[in-house]
Amino acid sequence: MENKKKFVKKYEWVGDVSSYKEPEANEHSVKYNEPDREYDSEYKPTKEDIETFPDLQNGPSSLIQGSPVEIQQVGIHNFRLPLRYKKKNGDSIELETKVTGTVSLEAHKKGINMSRIMRSFYEFKDDVFSIDKLGTVLASYKDKLKSFDAKVALKFSYPIIQPSLRSGLEGYQYYDVTLEGNLDKSGVLQKIIHFDFVYSSACPCSYELAEFARKYRNKATVSHSQRSVTRISIEFDELVWIEDLKEMCDKALHTETQVIVKREDEMAFAELNGSYLKFVEDAARLLYEQLSENKKVKDFRIICSHQESLHSHDAVSVILAPNSKFCADVPHELWSSLIHIS
């Protein structure tokens, strides 16, 4: 094999390591120009200057690495900013919001400018947000990025005052909510809300066994119940308020976990659990009954997870609206996300 000459920088060290001298240039060495490492705080590029800057993301298709195919979604996840949301009573509330924003990418395009998605939100940051406002934001960054379609999800924790059961006290209950908007190439906006509701589920079987042991063997017993979570996802055209979803869950399940509890409230909660015993199958069907009766709900999916105090595993169920377009297959990661921690 023919030997090829390598041009490498060689230093000749003299004295301590902080000083050296360069060898004279020859065919085996090249001159090294040390860049200026002092930050230039005075440099303000003009618009014309910026036009000359390299922009690989908008480069030609020859720069594509891998297969030159369409990418269904590309964008940003967990970009955070405070946004204002309209409440059912007409007021508004500012909440920290985690944003996921994506667009489709055509096969011949190298990439997108991610910051344009974020800049689109900052253009509307002082507005009051609703699911319909998402359509305006989606249209904005879909146009900026010259994409066929665009998607966005806004995740936040929504506070609603909850009165105690008997003591007359009240406190804030927080609900995990995600507003999702999907704008297709025809300009049609699909509107979805995902809403988490945390409740107690007392096991009917455990209750009957405990009562049997108390009655026939005079044994003190405690039937098992556990913190449980439902995530209901609904598609709609006419606005469905977050407060409406909470009310539907309350009406279906009756045993929402409490915020401020005195002894009389704890007694009331025990009585509620005894009055509304339910398996995970029951919870799903009770919620189905409420959602199917609401004419504003076009489509829905109900996921329930009873995080067992008896077992080392959870009891789960999924139920869909008739002819639903939601997926009944729930991945492991989604089930895990239902475990609510502070």
Side-chain angles (χ1 to χ4, degrees):
M1 179 182 293
E2 181 182 352
N3 290 328
K4 294 184 178 180
K5 296 179 180 178
K6 294 182 179 178
F7 293 86
V8 297
K9 177 174 174 59
K10 297 180 179 178
Y11 295 109
E12 179 181 338
W13 298 102
V14 178
D16 62 59
V17 295
S18 63
S19 62
Y20 66 86
K21 68 177 183 179
E22 295 205 25
E24 294 182 4
N26 56 50
E27 64 177 352
H28 297 296
S29 64
V30 293
K31 182 67 176 177
Y32 177 71
N33 293 319
E34 180 73 20
D36 181 0
R37 297 185 182 277
E38 184 175 347
Y39 176 70
D40 186 357
S41 60
E42 301 298 320
Y43 176 58
K44 303 293 183 185
T46 65
K47 185 177 180 179
E48 290 73 22
D49 290 335
I50 294 171
E51 290 295 326
T52 68
F53 292 173
D55 185 3
L56 294 183
Q57 284 296 78
N58 286 315
S61 58
S62 59
L63 294 177
I64 291 175
Q65 298 187 56
S67 300
V69 296
E70 178 185 351
I71 297 178
Q72 281 71 42
Q73 292 188 57
V74 59
I76 60 171
H77 170 64
N78 216 29
F79 158 58
R80 296 188 300 171
L81 78 167
L83 293 176
R84 297 201 67 81
Y85 296 91
K86 189 173 183 180
K87 300 172 68 175
K88 186 177 182 179
N89 65 6
D91 295 340
S92 64
I93 184 170
E94 185 173 87
L95 301 171
E96 180 188 282
T97 303
K98 298 177 181 179
V99 179
T100 299
T102 62
V103 294
S104 58
L105 183 66
E106 297 173 76
H108 68 278
K109 291 183 178 180
K110 167 69 174 172
I112 68 168
N113 292 109
M114 303 281 182
S115 68
R116 290 180 181 174
I117 297 175
M118 292 183 281
R119 297 200 316 259
S120 294
F121 274 91
Y122 272 97
E123 288 175 14
F124 300 98
K125 67 180 177 61
D126 296 324
D127 293 3
V128 178
F129 265 72
S130 66
I131 193 73
D132 293 315
K133 175 63 68 175
L134 285 189
T136 305
V137 176
L138 283 166
S140 174
Y141 75 73
K142 177 173 174 282
D143 181 64
K144 285 183 174 68
L145 294 164
K146 308 300 180 188
S147 176
F148 285 130
D149 53 33
K151 300 177 183 292
V152 69
L154 305 181
K155 182 176 174 59
F156 51 88
S157 190
Y158 189 84
I160 298 177
I161 284 285
Q162 182 193 62
S164 297
L165 293 171
R166 286 177 179 156
S167 67
L169 300 173
E170 57 184 21
Y172 282 103
Q173 187 80 283
Y174 283 82
Y175 301 87
D176 285 354
V177 178
T178 300
L179 299 184
E180 182 181 330
N182 303 319
L183 188 65
D184 67 17
K185 60 185 177 182
S186 303
V188 176
L189 176 64
Q190 181 189 38
K191 298 181 285 189
I192 295 172
I193 296 180
H194 307 279
F195 175 81
D196 284 13
F197 183 84
V198 185
Y199 60 101
S200 172
S201 59
C203 176
C205 182
S206 179
Y207 174 81
E208 292 296 336
L209 290 170
E211 286 296 294
F212 186 91
R214 183 189 63 78
K215 181 177 180 179
Y216 293 104
R217 298 174 49 233
N218 196 33
K219 288 295 181 182
T221 60
V222 176
S223 55
H224 85 81
S225 60
Q226 52 274 320
R227 186 181 298 179
S228 304
V229 182
T230 182
R231 179 169 298 164
I232 58 176
S233 302
I234 68 165
E235 182 184 355
F236 61 97
D237 288 329
E238 187 179 350
L239 181 61
V240 178
W241 296 98
I242 294 169
E243 291 87 347
D244 293 338
L245 294 176
K246 181 231 187 296
E247 186 177 335
M248 282 186 269
C249 290
D250 267 333
K251 190 173 181 181
L253 302 173
H254 299 283
T255 52
E256 181 177 12
T257 55
Q258 300 295 296
V259 180
I260 299 179
V261 175
K262 296 183 71 175
R263 282 178 296 172
E264 58 266 41
D265 302 310
E266 187 167 356
M267 180 183 288
F269 194 64
E271 293 173 21
L272 267 179
N273 275 272
S275 298
Y276 297 102
L277 304 165
K278 47 187 164 288
F279 293 117
V280 73
E281 300 93 334
D282 300 321
R285 287 175 172 144
L286 288 164
L287 288 161
Y288 181 100
E289 184 177 45
Q290 289 297 314
L291 291 174
S292 61
E293 289 177 356
N294 192 304
K295 302 304 181 184
K296 293 182 180 179
V297 177
K298 290 176 59 179
D299 191 5
F300 63 82
R301 178 179 66 184
I302 298 161
I303 298 173
C304 294
S305 174
H306 288 192
Q307 292 150 23
E308 295 280 298
S309 63
L310 170 64
H311 303 292
S312 298
H313 53 264
D314 303 335
V316 298
S317 63
V318 179
I319 192 167
L320 305 181
N323 305 310
S324 176
K325 294 181 181 178
F326 284 104
C327 181
D329 297 327
V330 177
H332 177 86
E333 291 75 18
L334 196 156
W335 288 121
S336 298
S337 74
L338 294 176
I339 298 175
H340 277 228
I341 58 176
S342 59

